[in-house]
Amino acid sequence: MTGLSASPAPTAVATTATGPRHVAIIMDGNGRWAKRRFLPRVAGHRAGAEAVRVTVKAAADMGLQALTLYAFSSENWRRSSEEVSDLMGLLRHYLRKEVAELDRNGIRLRTIGDISGLEGDLIDLVRDGVERTKDNRRLDFVLALNYGAQDEMVRAIRDIALAVRSGAMAPEDIDPTTIEARLDTSDLPPLDLLIRTSGERRLSNFLLWQAAYAELLFVDTLWPDFDGKALAAAIADFGTRERRFGGR
Ligand code: IPE
Ligand code: IPE
Ligand code: MG
């Protein structure tokens, strides 16, 4: 391309005019929400589960293709056994109560992360929810459960190493596409917008590969206060961004 070329290649820049297809949220701040009210942390997690319910519904109404929510990280096992059991209890309660509603709303439930690390009955509940909603097409609601981006990449790399050892793949064949195909997100649209609530400005091992060119948004709202209006505001903010993908 000469230096005088005025118009960039059409594929080099994607505008955000069409809105994000895939939004992910690091749902943070439940503990602080509870603390401000002199309540136990579990009350914050309960309020957080309600915020999940309304935000998922709003995402479907707004026409998103995928909403990925960070519900439990591979590092969250480091919390007290009481808090871990409260979080697992809430997940159990949520799945038992909400899957029918997801299904009614045309929402497909999926997960990322290593669900084999969850308790047996929870694995069954997750599998049942995924199976029951698998034909829905309005929104992919992706729960990140026992998810860590480093763990996800380790699992993908091990899989590639096995393919190389067996001779099915040569080291030169490894490229971003081969890696992407083995990530938990392989059949989701590319990540457009990554939101973190509660004012923290870090990724905490969430979607590190997928965030390569995602727009990042950090909001002060504590997760239990997040709702459809907050999601709409985030999407409006995304609409003001110009994505370049290194192109210009
Ligand atoms: C997010 O809220 C919920 C999970 C990590 C499961 P926190 O529990 O991290 O709340 P803060 O960060 O202590 O306020
Ligand atoms: C990230 O939040 C995990 C989830 C939201 C599930 P954390 O509250 O666990 O992250 P750190 O510990 O503040 O980085
Ligand atoms: Mg936190």
Side-chain angles (χ1 to χ4, degrees), residues 27-32 41 45 71 76 79 83 87:
M27 309 185 285
D28 199 12
N30 294 354
R32 278 161 284 168
R41 291 180 66 84
H45 294 316
N76 285 146
R79 298 192 178 196
E83 183 166 1
L87 286 165

Side-chain angles (χ1 to χ4, degrees), residues 158-171:
R158 274 192 193 137
D159 193 60
I160 291 172
L162 289 173
V164 169
R165 187 170 68 182
S166 75
M169 192 188 285

Side-chain angles (χ1 to χ4, degrees), residues 26-28 70-73 76 79 196 200 202 204:
I26 302 173
M27 309 185 285
D28 199 12
Y70 205 5
F72 193 87
S73 78
N76 285 146
R79 298 192 178 196
R196 183 172 189 143
E200 307 288 357
R202 57 179 171 269
S204 299

